[in-house]
Amino acid sequence: MAKKKITINPVDTVVTDKMEAVNDIISLKLEDMDGIGSVRLKKLYSNGIYTVDDLLGYGEESLSRMLDISWDDAKKMTSVANESLNSEDVLSSIVVSGRDYFNFRKNKIKYMTTGVEELDEITGGFETGVITEFFGAFGSGKTQFMMVACIMAQLPEEKCCLSCGQTDESIVKLDKCECGGTWWKGGGMSSFGKPSKVIYIDTENSYRPERLFEIVCNRELIKTKPQTKTQEKKCETKEPLDEEEYEKAMQYVYNIHISRPRTSALQMLVVANLSSMISGELCKHCQKREITKESEPTHQNHPKAKDGMRLESHDFEKDITANLVILDSITGKFRKEFEGRGTLSDRQVKLSSHVRLLESVVESKNIVCLVTNQAQEALGVMGDNIRPVGGNVIGHTFTHRIYLKKPQSMSKDKITAILVDSPNKAKNEVVLELGAKGIQEPTV
């Protein structure tokens, strides 16, 4: 849930400054290192290795196969990379006092509501700066959780009426403001009247804007038409009160930017550019940067634009910042493209690089990041043998892990959300229902 804002103390910047110093060092470009020639440099670049941090993510055996060099030569490369980190500056940058770190978290870390009070109680909400994973078998409701989160991120942090912005709780009756709008209890990531963006990376073609629109209406985040008792009993989808309310509902859909990478390579490319997407550094109309890698302008309103250049006909307009990133799912493309045990090592290496980059971006931007993951059956395990795909590569990277256990009968809609791993809360579980509101407390 959203926490009360606290005035930032100057001492809180100590941790941030040290983290930035470490990032500068491990982001040292490979061309600045000794012992790496132009030929090997090109091979490293072609495999997505650009910095010391990238290089140290691979072992000697992987580097020798990738670059077609001997194990000894690969060992020399990793030794040079390690020596670049062996300095007093690096050591002093990775150690902070308990007071500094406590103040840093108190002022920087926020929590977003999950959309269901019972789930908020066992998880504490979705934490910023870390990755939260939902895993489960097909039909366990992973995408429904993601679409509800898309809506929660666009709602205000503070308590208010979603129609008029009123903050006086004394005028609320039965969760309704005197204007007829819904009273919001807080816990979002935005402010009233201020648009916010969500980045949704859909690798399995499961996101449905129509479904998200229904959830907005059924949760009465806008004013809706009255329903008869028969319609309520059948749980029919609620409709906007008028055209104005319809447009308000559609804004929740419009503020979600969708990316649908068709291969694991494209998925990694999206995450590689995720930092710019979050900051809004891409044009809101064409999703291009203002300047190319060759330092040439891309839009006609740039001061360096000249006749004969390939320029966009519209003016460059910076996009709004994002406060939520969703990756649904993280392992789907990798499982399809790397089949069989013989490719398992290569898949894990790429997945490791992919996850580390995602983790780095999420931490630096301090946003909420949710990922879904496929599940598989663990052989030789008694009882519930469902395990997430990816093994230790992602198991030790994701901070919070939630297992969605679907019922034995395919006709039932109740889902058990189990908090498997979290440094904030003890292992716990809650029974939820997939319904008109996306995810909701079970109905009798």
Side-chain angles (χ1 to χ4, degrees):
M1 296 293 290
K3 287 192 173 181
K4 184 178 179 181
K5 291 186 178 179
I6 305 171
T7 305
I8 295 179
N9 191 314
V11 77
D12 301 337
T13 61
V14 172
V15 179
T16 304
D17 291 341
K18 289 195 172 188
M19 289 170 61
E20 290 178 352
V22 173
N23 288 334
D24 290 340
I25 297 169
I26 64 177
S27 298
L28 178 70
K29 295 181 179 179
L30 294 180
E31 56 260 34
D32 297 330
M33 289 176 53
D34 296 328
I36 300 181
S38 58
V39 176
R40 288 182 183 174
L41 202 59
K42 289 181 180 179
K43 287 186 177 181
L44 288 168
Y45 287 165
S46 64
N47 286 277
I49 303 175
Y50 298 94
T51 65
V52 170
D53 190 31
D54 295 335
L55 181 62
L56 292 176
Y58 292 82
E60 287 80 1
E61 187 66 32
S62 298
L63 285 174
S64 64
R65 286 189 286 107
M66 182 187 303
L67 305 179
D68 194 21
I69 58 178
S70 66
W71 189 91
D72 290 335
D73 287 340
K75 178 64 176 177
K76 290 179 182 178
M77 290 177 64
T78 56
S79 297
V80 172
N82 279 308
E83 287 175 7
S84 66
L85 303 181
N86 188 16
S87 68
E88 292 296 328
D89 292 336
V90 175
L91 180 61
S92 64
S93 297
I94 59 178
V95 180
V96 295
S97 70
R99 178 190 295 272
D100 290 339
Y101 193 65
F102 177 81
N103 290 332
F104 166 77
R105 286 190 56 83
K106 181 176 67 176
N107 292 291
K108 186 176 182 181
I109 305 303
K110 298 179 181 179
Y111 293 86
M112 184 185 86
T113 177
T114 63
V116 182
E117 288 187 12
E118 289 188 4
L119 187 57
D120 284 338
E121 290 177 3
I122 71 168
T123 63
F126 296 134
E127 182 181 351
T128 61
V130 298
I131 302 174
T132 300
E133 175 200 26
F134 284 81
F135 70 92
F138 68 92
S140 58
K142 298 187 292 294
T143 300
Q144 298 297 311
F145 277 82
M146 298 302 104
M147 287 194 283
V148 170
C150 286
I151 299 170
M152 297 300 107
Q154 300 181 57
L155 292 172
E157 292 183 49
E158 65 279 357
K159 298 179 180 180
C160 67
C161 170
L162 295 178
S163 293
C164 66
Q166 177 64 254
T167 58
D168 187 0
E169 292 188 57
S170 63
I171 63 174
V172 179
K173 296 180 180 179
L174 298 176
D175 292 332
K176 290 288 183 180
C177 175
E178 62 181 6
C179 73
T182 299
W183 178 258
W184 171 243
K185 297 180 180 179
M189 293 293 290
S190 186
S191 300
F192 178 78
K194 184 179 179 181
S196 60
K197 183 175 69 174
V198 175
I199 299 173
Y200 199 116
I201 306 171
D202 182 15
T203 68
E204 297 185 346
N205 190 24
S206 55
Y207 170 76
R208 293 294 182 270
E210 302 87 358
R211 173 59 175 153
L212 190 134
F213 176 83
E214 291 178 359
I215 295 173
V216 170
C217 294
N218 290 326
R219 284 178 172 260
E220 296 188 69
L221 302 179
I222 57 165
K223 295 178 182 178
T224 58
K225 295 178 180 179
Q227 286 188 322
T228 64
K229 291 184 178 180
T230 303
Q231 289 176 320
E232 291 179 357
K233 189 174 182 180
K234 291 182 178 179
C235 297
E236 292 186 9
T237 300
K238 297 181 180 180
E239 297 181 3
L241 182 63
D242 50 34
E243 192 66 28
E244 182 181 354
E245 296 301 315
Y246 171 83
E247 286 300 322
K248 287 182 180 179
M250 287 305 297
Q251 287 303 316
Y252 288 94
V253 179
Y254 297 155
N255 289 335
I256 301 173
H257 291 214
I258 312 298
S259 174
R260 285 193 55 204
R262 298 187 177 182
T263 64
S264 61
L266 291 177
Q267 180 179 327
M268 296 176 72
L269 177 64
V270 173
V271 173
N273 291 275
L274 191 56
S275 179
S276 298
M277 296 168 66
I278 294 170
S279 302
E281 296 173 6
L282 307 182
C283 174
K284 65 181 296 184
H285 303 293
C286 64
Q287 303 300 316
K288 290 184 179 180
R289 288 186 173 84
E290 192 172 10
I291 297 178
T292 65
K293 292 181 180 180
E294 292 75 28
S295 299
E296 292 187 355
T298 57
H299 292 72
Q300 62 180 7
N301 65 328
H302 195 277
K304 293 184 179 180
K306 298 178 181 178
D307 294 337
M309 290 183 172
R310 296 182 60 183
L311 303 172
E312 295 294 328
S313 58
H314 58 269
D315 291 345
F316 177 84
E317 188 174 352
K318 196 173 182 180
D319 206 349
I320 58 177
T321 58
N323 50 30
L324 170 64
V325 170
I326 290 176
L327 179 47
D328 182 20
S329 76
I330 191 168
T331 56
K333 295 299 182 186
F334 289 90
R335 292 187 78 187
K336 290 179 181 178
E337 296 172 18
F338 295 88
E339 297 180 337
R341 292 187 175 274
T343 63
L344 182 60
S345 175
D346 292 334
R347 186 191 80 178
Q348 292 302 92
V349 168
K350 284 186 176 292
L351 193 57
S352 174
S353 175
H354 182 50
V355 171
R356 283 193 301 110
L357 180 56
L358 178 62
E359 179 190 33
S360 175
V361 173
V362 169
E363 183 177 2
S364 64
K365 296 299 181 181
N366 192 39
I367 64 168
V368 174
C369 179
L370 306 179
V371 303
T372 66
N373 192 6
Q374 297 180 354
Q376 59 187 3
E377 294 184 0
L379 301 178
V381 177
M382 300 294 290
D384 190 353
N385 62 347
I386 298 297
R387 299 292 183 270
V389 174
N392 293 333
V393 165
I394 62 178
H396 294 299
T397 304
F398 297 158
T399 305
H400 309 283
R401 311 191 82 179
I402 299 172
Y403 169 35
L404 300 180
K405 183 178 180 181
K406 64 181 184 179
Q408 297 295 325
S409 174
M410 296 295 290
S411 61
K412 295 182 179 180
D413 295 325
K414 288 182 174 57
I415 299 292
T416 304
I418 305 172
L419 183 63
V420 176
D421 184 28
S422 173
N424 299 4
K425 298 282 186 176
K427 185 174 180 179
N428 208 337
E429 64 182 59
V430 60
V431 177
L432 303 172
E433 185 177 86
L434 302 180
K437 296 181 181 180
I439 52 170
Q440 58 198 37
E441 296 178 1
T443 55
V444 179

